[in-house]
Structure formats: structure tokens, C-alpha cells
Amino acid sequence: MPPESTNGAGRRNGGGLAVPMAWLCAEYLADQYLTAAGLTEPGSLEHRAALRSLALTVHLSGRPASGDWLRLTAHEAGWAEWVAERLAAEEAKDPGGADLALARDAWRGLSETWLHAADLDDGTAGPEPLVDEAVRTWLPAWRLGLPVAHLALWLT
């Protein structure tokens, strides 16, 4: 069966099946960055959290690869608040959009999935903060995925 044809709005001619091309492209690009960086094992929790975090950053920024992605994913840059604001803005523009539905699902998964991991905020201050990996705490998945996404961007 041939694929559905789409118009510029990402919907099948006639208004039926929505094709979330913007989200799929963001997810593909995020996967390429993470694969190139080789920081996590594909399929691991860390990889999936980083993939969703980076895909959200790419999709919601609305810009091609730029230093903005590094700035947005930097530690303590207010990424979670930025995501919530951008999702609300997207909801106002196109509440039934297929891209928005996948972005919301990714955000829900990142914020509602908690992982027992090293406490990333427990490091000593200084030019090279040290994290004691023996000190563990429960973190939402985005708190683990975002630093991996940032590092993947920085490395590639």
C-alpha cells in the first residue's frame, strides 16, 4: 500500500490521518546526535530519557541546529519551565496537532517516570564539580536525560 500523500500542514489531503512529521524529524535528529556521541547504550533508560529530552528541545525550539539547543539544555537553564511554556503555546495554536500529542506524551513520560540515580545536585562546587555516584536519589527522567542530551550536543 503506498504511503499517504500529505500537504504542507502534515495532514492527509481531505483532512484525515495526521502525520507528525515535525516530531518525527526532531526525534530522528536527536537520535543522530546521541548515536554520534556514543554516551549511552541504545535502548537504555538513560538513552531514552536523553532522546526524549533532546527531541523536545529540537521540536519546541522551532529552529535548526544552533547554540540555542546547548543553552536550553544547560544545567539550571530552566528547561522544564521552558518546555511547559512552549507546550502551552503550541496547545493554543493547534490543540489537536499530531506533533503536539507526541511532544506531550514525551514530556509526560519524562516528568512522570522517576529513576533512582546519582544525585546530580549533590556535587561539590568549583570549576569541576564532583558527583558522588554512591549518593542516590529519585529523579524525574528528564533530570537524567537532559545532561546526556546536552553533552551529546556539545560533543558533536
Side-chain angles (χ1 to χ4, degrees), residues 23 52 56 101-111:
W23 176 260
R52 288 177 177 161
L56 274 168
L102 290 174
R104 273 195 313 247
D105 285 346
W107 177 238
R108 189 176 309 112
L110 285 169
S111 58

Side-chain angles (χ1 to χ4, degrees), residues 58-153:
V58 169
H59 178 69
L60 295 174
S61 73
R63 298 184 179 166
S66 67
D68 284 347
W69 296 350
L70 272 173
R71 182 184 53 78
L72 290 167
T73 59
H75 183 66
E76 295 188 16
W79 183 81
E81 294 81 12
W82 175 80
V83 168
E85 290 169 9
R86 297 295 297 175
L87 285 173
E90 291 293 315
E91 178 79 31
K93 286 193 303 190
D94 185 15
D99 292 309
L100 177 62
L102 290 174
R104 273 195 313 247
D105 285 346
W107 177 238
R108 189 176 309 112
L110 285 169
S111 58
E112 292 178 1
T113 301
W114 288 72
L115 307 171
H116 197 233
D119 188 353
L120 301 176
D121 288 330
D122 192 42
T124 58
E128 294 184 32
L130 301 173
V131 173
D132 182 359
E133 293 193 31
V135 178
R136 301 179 75 74
T137 190
W138 288 97
L139 303 169
W142 70 266
R143 293 286 311 272
L144 185 61
L146 193 61
V148 175
H150 179 77
L151 188 54
L153 288 169

